[in-house]
Amino acid sequence: MAQQRALPQSKETLLQSYNKRLKDDVKSIMDNFTEIIKTAKIEDETQVSRATQGEQDNYEMHVRAANIVRAGESLMKLVSDLKQFLILNDFPSVNEAIEERSQQLRALQEECDRKLIALRDEVSTDLYELEEEYYSSSSSLCEANGLPLCEAYWRLDLDTDSADGLSVPLPASPEPSAGPLQAAAPAHSHAGGPGPAEHA
């Protein structure tokens, strides 16, 4: 009753009309069914012949059966109207469903936040260990060479490039360099040729 009092006047009137339709249809079904049962009762002889009375009772049964069918269809229409009314105007149930869905999404968000925080902690720990390893190796390299960090790495790269250059075989000396050596040999023999003549 408190919920009905809280409804607007239009909704209250609509609910009252639904209630009246329900009572009228149920009363119509009961009354017509009762009259059909009464019609099936065999009465004593009257001024109306039995054939005429039978036709009248048959017609009355058909009419009352049609009334029962009409009342049943009205009740089915009333059920459809009530469902539509609840879907469109049952705000407490809608709000409850929305709140329940919001709680589920909130719990999912909290779980995702916890997983992200755990992942962040793991990444931070691994990054810290990698930084410790990097700086420890860098400091040992500086202490070994007695140089600043950047210069020590520059020397290390230079030594690496030099070692790579020495590993490459040198190209063979070109053959034209043998030309001057062969040209010098005849000059020496020519110079020695007149030697004995001068000595003689």
Side-chain angles (χ1 to χ4, degrees):
M1 292 299 294
Q3 184 179 0
Q4 290 182 356
R5 290 173 185 172
L7 292 174
Q9 187 65 29
S10 59
K11 294 181 181 179
E12 181 71 23
T13 305
L14 187 60
L15 289 177
Q16 289 178 359
S17 67
Y18 288 160
N19 193 12
K20 184 176 183 303
R21 283 172 55 187
L22 175 63
K23 290 180 179 179
D24 292 343
D25 292 335
V26 172
K27 185 176 183 299
S28 175
I29 291 174
M30 292 294 296
D31 292 343
N32 284 281
F33 187 76
T34 303
E35 292 298 327
I36 289 175
I37 297 300
K38 288 181 180 179
T39 305
K41 182 180 178 182
I42 300 176
E43 297 181 355
D44 297 334
E45 291 288 340
T46 58
Q47 295 179 355
V48 182
S49 64
R50 289 187 177 274
T52 305
Q53 187 67 34
E55 290 292 330
Q56 180 181 353
D57 293 344
N58 187 19
Y59 178 74
E60 183 179 358
M61 285 183 180
H62 279 84
V63 171
R64 294 192 179 279
N67 290 335
I68 293 175
V69 172
R70 182 199 58 78
E73 292 178 351
S74 178
L75 286 176
M76 293 177 64
K77 181 66 168 57
L78 178 61
V79 171
S80 178
D81 293 341
L82 287 174
K83 289 180 180 180
Q84 184 177 0
F85 177 81
L86 289 176
I87 292 172
L88 297 178
N89 300 293
D90 191 12
F91 294 107
S93 299
V94 174
N95 293 333
E96 183 179 356
I98 293 174
E99 183 65 24
E100 183 179 358
R101 182 59 178 168
S102 299
Q103 291 178 359
Q104 293 177 358
L105 294 176
R106 218 173 286 121
L108 181 61
Q109 179 185 1
E110 292 176 357
E111 183 180 0
C112 291
D113 291 339
R114 286 195 299 269
K115 291 182 179 179
L116 288 174
I117 291 173
L119 182 60
R120 182 198 63 184
D121 295 339
E122 292 179 2
V123 171
S124 299
T125 304
D126 295 339
L127 183 60
Y128 178 76
E129 293 177 357
L130 290 174
E131 288 179 352
E132 287 290 329
E133 183 67 23
Y134 172 76
Y135 287 120
S136 62
S137 61
S138 300
S139 60
S140 62
L141 181 61
C142 293
E143 291 175 359
N145 295 327
L147 298 173
L149 181 60
C150 58
E151 188 173 355
Y153 273 108
W154 181 76
R155 291 288 183 87
L156 181 61
D157 293 339
L158 185 61
D159 294 340
T160 304
D161 295 338
S162 300
D164 293 339
L166 290 175
S167 62
V168 178
L170 294 175
S173 58
E175 295 181 356
S177 61
L181 296 176
Q182 294 177 358
H188 179 69
S189 62
H190 179 70
E198 292 176 358
H199 181 71

